[in-house]
Amino acid sequence: MSTLSQRPMNAIVGQEMPHEAANQHVTGAALYTDDLVGRTLGTLHAYPVQTAVAHGRVTSMDVQPAYDVPGVVRVLTADDVPGVNDAGIKHDEPLFPTEVMYYGHPVCWVIGETLEAARLGAAAVKVEIDELPALITVKEAIEAESFQGARPVMARGDLGAGWAASTRVFEGEFEFAGQEHFYLETHCSLAQVDENGQIFIQCSTQHPTETQDIVAHVLGLDSNEVTVQCLRMGGGFGGKEMQPHGYAAIGALAATLTGRPVRVRLNRTQDMTMSGKRHGFHSAWKIGFDDEGKIQAFEAVLTSDGGWSLDLSEPVLARALCHVDNAYWVPNIRVDGRIAKTNKTSQTAFRGFGGPQGMLVMEDILGRVAPKLGMKAHELRRKNFYVDGQETPYGQPVRHAERAVACWEQVWQNGELDRRMAEVDAFNATSPNTKRAIAITPVKFGISFNLTAFNQAGALVHVYKDGSVLINHGGTEMGQGLHTKMLQIAATTLGIPLDRVRLAPTRTDKVPNTSATAASTGADLNGGAVKDACEQIMVRLEKVKAEAQEELSWEDLVHRAYFGRVQLWAAGFYRTEGLKWDPATVKGSPFKYFAYGAAATEVEVDRFTGAYRTLRVDIVHDVGDSLSPLIDIGQIEGGYVQGAGWLTLEDLRWDTSDRPTRGRLATQGASTYKLPSFSEMPAEFNVSLLERAHEDGAVYGSKAVGEPPLMLAFSTREALRQAAAAFGDEGVSVEIGCPATPEAVFWALQEARGAAPTDG
């Protein structure tokens, strides 16, 4: 067992504790970025001038009418940018564009004494645009060969031999939608400039360092002239990994030009029409099985909808390729990836980061073809599980493959699936207008950033003379409980009560060069850094203790160390070892480990409307030795529900007509974009953590929990497919839309009722 993963006796980690800010959250005392505006005198407000075409060139822009609006202070245009007019890491996202690339694309920003003055000023700006043809759907982009970025290929084995060994071969296509983040707190930044010209930005960002980088290059400054702080976020889900930078730059630019604090906060409609979403995908595939139902060959082309610019589309696509196998051994495989360039918002990171999209392709295929193979879907899935000694298509050994089996079998046993499946069959036999189904699906998800350099973190730990401790680390808190885990790690490593430790907000002038709080690595990376800093301090204190030759309380030990001129603070660092990745060949071992899980979902579907209820969910998930069980269970529950929303409810719709509104996002708020609510929660929701799951080489033996649970929701969509098929004859295979809305379920069950059973 490594020292990193070894736990002491009576550790604070592993204890059930509430979120460190739970009381503030439920009482309204927790401060978010926009709450700071009321505490900042003289704040100005920014408002975007959005365009109403999906694609076109700006031929003229008259900002003078905005200055005629009382309260308007400044109109920001490209001429005001002292540095680089770009808000993206790929330098393909002009902050003030001359070519409109999507409906709602802002071309300039108005700064006002009040938000209303800025809004009225923005409405007064006159913009003329020469409209150009727009590509809205992925299929339109494919037909036009409109692609951007890298086109990776993941391959292994001999496809020719695989097809020769296949006695059953199937082909098909599958297209599925993206997902709106719909964090409760929309994008927000508050920028200030001090008397020395130092830029200070309070920002709702998952990546403070990259926000700092983008602001610096827009303003033509060095990074040490820009400080970014993230107090906390009201949700992020990946949507605040890349997207906040441009808004922060607008605020910083305006603050520099006016000498006053500037607030940039998007309302919900602006946030939904301007910020990126989960990538939708189109897939074309072919798969072969032998007589036993084992996969022999698989090839596919995955095309992601990148929107108007690259953003994070390349690493999202790479992770989709790396997860197309999910938990299944595919001996002969080739998957080509490409990124469509469409005239929509620039799609970005979202919980799972391409992994869910890749896995969904395989899960959809297995659900479709199982009846054609004369098998139950759960039998086909279980038959193709990885076993020890096998490698992923990109060459990484699948360690602990038995944990996928353990999760699956525990769900089967705890969920009493044998008995309940028999009951479902009996119910369906006597219920012509309502059908039920139970589906079980696995999850194997790799943890680490695909870009190896991002797998590092820093922390700063201060022990004060009175024995109290303050920690600062590079991770950001968005409600997921990262700060809670960091407090537990510090208290455990220092061997002190939790109430002696406090945590400071994430700031780039305290811990520099941080990685995004993303890829489910927050606890692994920052926890390792916090532990390292605490251990440095403990090494020094152990010497003081040895010299004292007596038992000392923590406070007395620290007091003696101070007067002995012993350093009582430390900067910690952690880097994930054992990673290697070649994006050009799509080969290597990009992940520290795999997180496993399994979920079984029971649904009930109405014949006449396609409406459905989720009756019961059983989950077993592998989080290693949990750092904070209450936090982890909450993340698993939330991840499942968010995944179920993507797969069954949340239906992004753009106007694809030839009307003047072509390219407009039609689902611009909660009134038109259906989110999971209490009514969609299962009547019975059972979540268990896999036992005896210690992960050697990870902080205190734990595993990541942020993203993997989202994919447990595949079982929901597959249960809906099986329930729809139950309206037809035995052996009917049905295709079901994604999201599987009641409408999509209705058409699937209609297909089942009109279809004859097929065997090929």
Side-chain angles (χ1 to χ4, degrees), residues 609-683:
T609 64
Y612 47 81
R613 294 189 301 137
T614 304
L615 303 178
R616 177 171 170 174
V617 174
D618 292 272
I619 291 171
V620 175
H621 197 71
D622 168 23
V623 298
D625 289 339
S626 175
L627 292 173
S628 195
L630 280 181
I631 296 294
D632 286 345
I633 288 174
Q635 284 292 290
I636 293 167
E637 292 172 341
Y640 175 91
V641 171
Q642 190 170 52
W646 170 48
L647 295 166
T648 68
L649 291 172
E650 301 178 41
D651 196 2
L652 286 169
R653 294 290 182 97
W654 276 269
D655 188 339
T656 58
S657 73
D658 291 328
R659 295 190 295 267
T661 53
R662 176 173 169 80
R664 176 182 178 272
L665 180 65
T667 48
Q668 297 188 9
S671 60
T672 51
Y673 187 76
K674 176 66 173 173
L675 293 162
S677 63
F678 285 118
S679 60
E680 280 76 43
M681 290 290 287

Side-chain angles (χ1 to χ4, degrees), residues 424 427-428 431 433-438 601-607 609-616 716 719-720 722-724 727 745 749:
V424 164
F427 175 88
N428 289 346
S431 177
N433 298 326
T434 306
K435 302 294 184 182
R436 293 178 179 175
I438 299 173
T601 299
E602 181 176 359
V603 299
E604 181 179 273
V605 171
D606 176 71
R607 166 188 167 184
T609 64
Y612 47 81
R613 294 189 301 137
T614 304
L615 303 178
R616 177 171 170 174
T716 310
L720 290 172
Q722 292 171 202
F727 285 96
V745 172
L749 71 86

Side-chain angles (χ1 to χ4, degrees), residues 110-126:
V110 177
I111 311 301
E113 293 284 355
T114 65
L115 185 61
E116 180 65 4
R119 185 188 69 81
L120 293 174
V125 173
K126 297 178 180 178

Side-chain angles (χ1 to χ4, degrees), residues 721 723-729 732-734 747-756:
R721 182 202 305 276
F727 285 96
D729 295 330
V732 165
S733 170
V734 298
W747 291 119
L749 71 86
Q750 287 290 90
E751 176 191 346
R753 293 179 67 211

